[in-house]
Amino acid sequence: MSIRLKIEELREIVPSEVKIAAVSKFHSNDEIMEAYNAGQRIFGESRVQEVVQKQQELPKDIEWHFIGNLQRNKVKQIAPFVSLIHSMDSERLMREIEKQGSANNRAIPCLLQIHIADEDTKSGFSLEECRRFLSEGKWRECSHVKISGLMGMATFTEDEDKVRKEFDQLKLLFDEFKDAYFKKDPDFKEISMGMTGDYQLAIEAGSTIVRIGTLIFGDR
Ligand SMILES: *Cc1c(COP(=O)(O)O)cnc(C)c1O
């Protein structure tokens, strides 16, 4: 099936208020343009060098979302154009985004990445770390970092109950933070969860952005 048809099919399944980030990492400009010509405007990338090159070559109305592990020394390269960083997971990274946002005269929208899965990875705040991060309040000094919600990845498993529980946990954490810190901030509104294998469960749990690669573009 063509990329256009995949996107059209997905749009019928995904509620209109849920955004679709088409994860185009490792895929070519031609493939991205096929999605673009089907109306897709949000693309997700996980490597700095790749997104910088694609941003230069492709239409300027594309919203580039950075979804991968982000090294501090590379923030500078994406700061001028990135629409949303899904993977802010430390105070040190926040400080660098603040610096580069300031240098570019913009507030960069960022999600706090939370480690909800069972799997061992280095990325993401634990729930407790993130609670501490917000209660310490250093983020309030960073006017060029716009904290816009949370992101999480569920465990890669066939066990739907487990995945559902992890997504529910992220939604509960979002509600907790919204209530405690962002009640009057309309920009704190995103819950980025759900990929090709689990996006329907994520939507049921309250996702506002699904990040979908394989289903749209095929295998990487
Ligand atoms: C690659 C990637 C995706 C997309 O995964 P698919 O299973 O291909 O849909 C989503 N989120 C993150 C963080 C990724 O790295």
Side-chain angles (χ1 to χ4, degrees):
M1 208 193 289
S2 71
I3 289 171
R4 167 183 289 275
L5 282 173
K6 291 277 179 49
I7 285 179
E8 286 171 357
E9 221 178 64
L10 198 54
R11 284 220 194 89
E12 287 184 10
I13 301 171
V14 175
S16 56
E17 64 275 14
V18 176
K19 293 189 261 288
I20 299 169
V23 176
S24 48
K25 60 188 184 197
F26 303 106
H27 290 287
S28 68
N29 287 355
D30 284 350
E31 290 169 291
I32 293 174
M33 281 312 294
E34 203 178 325
Y36 181 90
N37 289 327
Q40 181 67 31
R41 289 297 179 272
I42 303 176
F43 291 88
E45 290 281 340
S46 61
R47 295 188 307 178
V48 167
Q49 209 184 352
E50 188 174 344
V51 71
V52 166
Q53 186 166 358
K54 286 173 173 172
Q55 192 271 337
Q56 285 167 359
E57 294 168 356
L58 289 165
K60 294 300 173 257
D61 63 343
I62 289 179
E63 294 175 40
W64 294 102
H65 285 202
F66 194 83
I67 63 172
N69 186 42
L70 181 56
Q71 288 172 276
R72 276 178 297 135
N73 62 358
K74 295 188 175 169
V75 173
K76 185 179 183 149
Q77 297 178 59
I78 62 171
F81 65 85
V82 70
S83 292
L84 182 63
I85 294 174
H86 290 233
S87 47
M88 192 169 80
D89 63 356
S90 73
E91 187 185 317
R92 293 172 82 204
L93 180 57
M94 174 182 70
R95 296 232 177 255
E96 181 61 22
I97 297 171
E98 167 64 19
K99 185 174 153 194
Q100 300 304 336
S102 172
N104 285 277
N105 248 312
R106 59 181 297 234
I108 301 177
C110 294
L111 306 180
L112 300 167
Q113 184 175 351
I114 312 292
H115 187 104
I116 52 172
D118 243 355
E119 289 146 357
D120 256 351
T121 78
K122 288 159 276 124
S123 41
F125 287 102
S126 72
L127 274 66
E128 277 318 310
E129 281 167 354
C130 199
R131 287 193 177 104
R132 197 175 330 122
F133 168 84
L134 285 173
S135 74
E136 279 174 1
K138 300 209 177 89
W139 54 278
R140 296 182 197 274
E141 300 157 18
C142 295
S143 58
H144 301 89
V145 176
K146 180 171 282 303
I147 299 180
S148 306
L150 305 183
M151 182 274 234
M153 266 185 282
T155 304
F156 189 70
T157 171
E158 302 277 292
D159 183 349
E160 293 199 351
D161 285 335
K162 184 174 180 60
V163 171
R164 199 176 281 120
K165 275 185 195 136
E166 291 170 355
F167 287 150
D168 286 345
Q169 194 178 36
L170 192 63
K171 167 72 164 107
L172 278 173
L173 197 67
F174 173 88
D175 291 343
E176 176 189 322
F177 291 163
K178 179 79 189 171
D179 194 51
Y181 302 104
F182 300 100
K183 231 178 195 150
K184 293 184 189 135
D185 181 353
D187 291 323
F188 188 86
K189 62 175 195 295
E190 308 292 6
I191 308 176
S192 167
M193 58 184 184
M195 315 178 13
T196 293
D198 56 19
Y199 72 94
Q200 279 160 315
L201 293 174
I203 290 167
E204 285 168 24
S207 173
T208 68
I209 308 176
V210 289
R211 309 176 308 269
I212 299 189
T214 309
L215 186 72
I216 294 172
F217 295 107
D219 288 334
R220 289 182 284 273

